[in-house]
Amino acid sequence: MLTGRMMDFPLTLTHFLERSRTFHGSTEIISRRPDRSFHRYTYADFYRRTCRLAGALRRLGVKPGDRVASLCWNHHQHLELYLAVPAMGAVLHTLNLRLHPNDLGYIARHAEDRVLVVDRSLLPLFEKFAGAVPSIERVIVIPDDGPTPSGRLDYEQLLEPEPDTFDFPMLEERAAAMLCYTSGTTGNPKGVLFSHRSTVLHTLAICMADVFGIREADTVLPVVPMFHAAAWGLPYAAVATGAKLVMPGPHLDPTSLLDLMAQERVTIAGGVPTIWLGILALLDQEPKRWDLSSMRTMAIGGSAAPPALIEGFQERHGLTVAHAWGMSELNPVGTLARLKQHHAQADEATKLSLRATQGFPVPFVEQRHVSDTGQVLPWDGSTMGELEVRGPWVASSYYGGEGKDRFTKDGWFKTGDIVTIDPEGYLRITDRSKDVIKSGGEWISSVALENALMAHPAVLEAAVFAGRHAKWDERPLAAVVLKPGQSVAKEELAAHLEKHFAKYWLPDAYLFVPQIPRTSTGKFLKSKLREEYGDYLLKHPQE
Ligand code: AMP
């Protein structure tokens, strides 16, 4: 081989941070506080504070490779953590504030977090699992909704004495930058450890015109939380390009988001279908209330964007949806539904149907789908198989080594999504191999709920499956077989589950059935349950 003679310059997030100060110092970053007031500053301010934060963390003893956890909403301090922690060589571990405290405790312990930065408004949540994480030596409170309680380290006071500059080390691009856990639908949550390199390459890819096309002229609103799959990389893309950034804080209701989009002249926003369904419903009611003429793209992903949603935005409000597929294991964007040049001639129904697929891979992600026996399947648009992907921002293993069976011997990652792929590469997710339930973008484990239900003395068998829901896309429904001669009230089952799970995990309805349909190998046949009762909540909305 004749080796190329180009520099081996490391792909690190530090470069994006430095650019934001050097070239985009006057561009604004805006955050909404819990009291609905706004915090505004510039990339120049952001850079100074990011340096101060790195200085403060170093003073507290944070070393390269150490895990610094965040338990925060989307706001400018979280962005400071997004850059300061990786740029100083440590690893930002984003904790998902929607998880049950038991899961958070497990995850933080597994990650061996040393420092935790928490919004004051989320301190009560932290206190529920603090005892489970002996590795946490320091807790830093961001005073988002009031002053930091005495005896606690205050984020702002910590930054106060630090210098405005920090000598960021020259890092290796393969160094870990961020740790995100999957939601643990089968077994315990698993850690995905993004590297600087994977995150930089992912950032460049999502900025491509055929992906999200993020550029300096944009105003980016990440509705998708920074505590789940790095907010799809939108914050890094904004810092990399110098785009204006608007952070919604905890205010994710449609009115607050529409106000923000109109007032700040947002050009691109990203969120799960549930968020957009709420926004579309409100826009339909009050089409003239908000001036959204600045909007060029609404990125939707995390679960399938219904065609009616894509069409409704386009037809009734002139707003364009970009439907993307991704996973925590991918940094996270993998595919995006874009029409190709030759589709310009296609009829509207064909165009809509293509835009409602999960699209085809962005550059450097490769896809294939395989049968149960691992045979690679044809791209004919109808053969179903499990999607496998590979690329520079696809996990090569989980942190801690669990889940080895998700990685094939020939270098692919098994996604668990059942798909078809058409001859042009467009991917359609038809089912999930593990029957998980996704409510408002968050996973709910049916198996965990079933196991708990079946621990109730009156319950013989229980299967939990997804019911369609107008607002949350899917909500759990429980099919319950009682032991002979037993009876139990729904309220009692709910109270029983409440001890173990976050409220939003609890089934919306309990259906008492004589038996649960099974597959030939004796497993619950949930597709049958979904067929029979999938619309139960739509028909009985009062439940
Ligand atoms: P998470 O790692 O929590 O982001 O979840 C990843 C999973 O969400 C994928 O494996 C899919 O099952 C699902 N998902 C993500 N995006 C989409 C989409 N656009 N359409 C359908 N399912 C999706």
Side-chain angles (χ1 to χ4, degrees):
M1 179 183 76
L2 179 61
T3 306
R5 301 286 179 98
M6 308 308 277
M7 289 184 189
D8 198 5
F9 189 83
L11 306 178
T12 65
L13 294 169
T14 322
H15 177 77
F16 291 156
L17 173 64
E18 297 290 352
R19 275 184 72 86
S20 71
R21 166 191 62 164
T22 312
F23 302 112
H24 308 292
S26 61
T27 303
E28 270 190 311
I29 300 168
I30 296 130
S31 313
R32 200 156 207 190
R33 299 192 186 94
D35 69 358
R36 310 187 82 81
S37 66
F38 289 95
H39 174 274
R40 313 181 84 94
Y41 72 174
T42 64
Y43 274 111
D45 303 320
F46 159 72
Y47 182 85
R48 283 191 285 273
R49 282 174 51 94
T50 299
C51 289
R52 285 170 174 237
L53 173 58
L57 291 173
R58 185 167 59 189
R59 178 157 50 87
L60 293 180
V62 172
K63 305 234 164 20
D66 281 351
R67 268 76 68 209
V68 175
S70 61
L71 187 60
C72 303
W73 293 103
N74 290 11
H75 47 50
H76 64 285
Q77 290 105 332
H78 209 171
L79 188 72
E80 289 159 10
L81 284 157
Y82 256 51
L83 274 301
V85 176
M88 67 187 290
V91 179
L92 182 67
H93 174 201
T94 50
L95 286 166
N96 182 341
L97 57 89
R98 299 216 171 103
L99 293 179
H100 189 274
N102 292 351
D103 289 333
L104 286 166
Y106 170 85
I107 289 170
R109 194 168 61 243
H110 188 272
E112 295 177 278
D113 295 327
R114 281 192 66 199
V115 173
L116 178 123
V117 184
V118 52
D119 285 353
R120 192 191 102 126
S121 56
L122 298 169
L123 254 182
L125 172 61
F126 168 61
E127 274 152 9
K128 289 194 185 138
F129 66 87
V133 198
S135 59
I136 296 181
E137 297 160 24
R138 305 279 192 163
V139 177
I140 303 169
V141 179
I142 294 178
D144 65 335
D145 68 342
T148 296
S150 62
R152 296 267 185 198
L153 278 177
D154 176 83
Y155 185 93
E156 298 300 330
Q157 284 172 15
L158 211 60
L159 266 57
E160 194 64 36
E162 295 295 329
D164 283 341
T165 56
F166 186 89
D167 196 11
F168 289 107
M170 192 70 159
L171 298 170
E172 299 220 11
E173 65 180 23
R174 285 182 172 73
M178 185 182 273
L179 181 59
C180 301
Y181 276 72
T182 63
S183 318
T185 49
T186 48
N188 283 323
K190 295 180 206 54
V192 182
L193 195 51
F194 302 159
S195 64
H196 278 262
R197 175 187 156 85
S198 75
T199 311
V200 165
L201 290 172
H202 176 267
T203 306
L204 296 179
I206 66 168
C207 291
M208 289 177 71
D210 277 339
V211 187
F212 296 145
I214 294 166
R215 56 187 197 268
E216 190 272 342
D218 273 318
T219 297
V220 181
L221 170 64
V223 181
V224 47
M226 293 168 83
F227 55 74
H228 186 188
W232 303 350
L234 295 173
Y236 286 129
V239 175
T241 56
K244 179 175 153 186
L245 196 48
V246 181
M247 301 291 209
H251 301 292
L252 304 179
D253 60 287
T255 305
S256 302
L257 291 173
L258 283 164
D259 286 348
L260 215 49
M261 285 154 75
Q263 278 163 27
E264 298 301 331
R265 307 293 295 154
V266 168
T267 60
I268 171 163
V272 294
T274 308
I275 295 277
W276 296 113
L277 282 166
I279 286 183
L280 180 61
L282 195 53
L283 281 180
D284 284 345
Q285 271 171 32
E286 302 183 67
K288 300 237 158 358
R289 181 163 158 199
W290 292 276
D291 172 8
L292 299 180
S293 55
S294 59
M295 283 296 290
R296 66 171 182 81
T297 301
M298 283 155 2
I300 306 191
S303 57
L309 179 71
I310 301 175
E311 190 180 27
F313 273 123
Q314 193 73 60
E315 297 298 310
R316 301 198 288 280
H317 306 286
L319 294 168
T320 304
V321 165
H323 184 204
W325 169 91
M327 300 182 79
S328 304
E329 285 89 340
L330 264 91
N331 230 198
V333 177
T335 69
L336 187 111
R338 269 213 186 269
L339 299 182
K340 301 180 187 176
Q341 273 195 39
H342 71 91
H343 294 131
Q345 323 306 331
D347 57 69
E348 290 309 312
T350 308
K351 286 185 191 164
L352 177 62
S353 138
L354 284 170
R355 292 177 58 216
T357 67
Q358 279 69 28
F360 56 95
V362 305
F364 272 107
V365 173
E366 295 184 356
Q367 69 179 15
R368 69 180 188 185
H369 66 323
V370 301
S371 69
D372 283 353
T373 56
Q375 187 196 351
V376 177
L377 298 169
W379 292 15
D380 57 10
S382 61
T383 310
M384 281 194 230
E386 182 178 358
L387 176 67
E388 296 185 349
V389 291
R390 66 179 180 188
W393 58 88
V394 179
S396 60
S397 63
Y398 289 110
Y399 178 68
E402 293 100 338
K404 289 200 172 65
D405 57 336
R406 302 288 297 276
F407 304 90
T408 71
K409 288 206 172 61
D410 61 344
W412 293 77
F413 169 70
K414 293 156 77 74
T415 64
D417 287 325
I418 304 301
V419 304
T420 62
I421 304 179
D422 81 4
E424 287 204 70
Y426 286 92
L427 178 84
R428 278 194 171 80
I429 297 193
T430 58
D431 207 349
R432 297 171 194 138
S433 61
K434 303 256 162 45
D435 288 317
V436 296
I437 301 158
K438 207 155 189 190
S439 170
E442 296 293 329
W443 290 112
I444 293 176
S445 166
S446 52
V447 178
L449 287 166
E450 287 161 12
N451 289 343
L453 276 173
M454 288 190 274
H456 188 280
V459 175
L460 180 65
E461 279 182 352
V464 176
F465 61 100
R468 277 177 283 281
H469 190 276
K471 179 164 182 211
W472 302 108
D473 281 352
E474 290 179 352
R475 291 289 305 142
L477 295 177
V480 178
V481 182
L482 292 179
K483 288 181 184 159
Q486 296 277 347
S487 70
V488 65
K490 295 169 180 184
E491 291 72 16
E492 190 183 326
L493 291 178
H496 170 72
L497 290 179
E498 217 170 332
K499 288 182 236 144
H500 310 286
F501 300 103
K503 261 226 150 60
Y504 82 96
W505 272 48
L506 303 189
D508 276 15
Y510 298 81
L511 312 166
F512 293 100
V513 294
Q515 61 190 28
I516 292 176
R518 289 175 186 271
T519 67
S520 56
T521 55
K523 297 196 180 79
F524 292 156
L525 190 55
K526 295 200 191 167
S527 53
K528 187 90 196 299
L529 285 170
R530 284 196 294 265
E531 245 172 69
E532 213 155 310
Y533 304 109
D535 285 338
Y536 185 87
L537 294 171
L538 302 178
K539 291 181 191 151
H540 305 86
Q542 73 286 1
E543 290 245 0

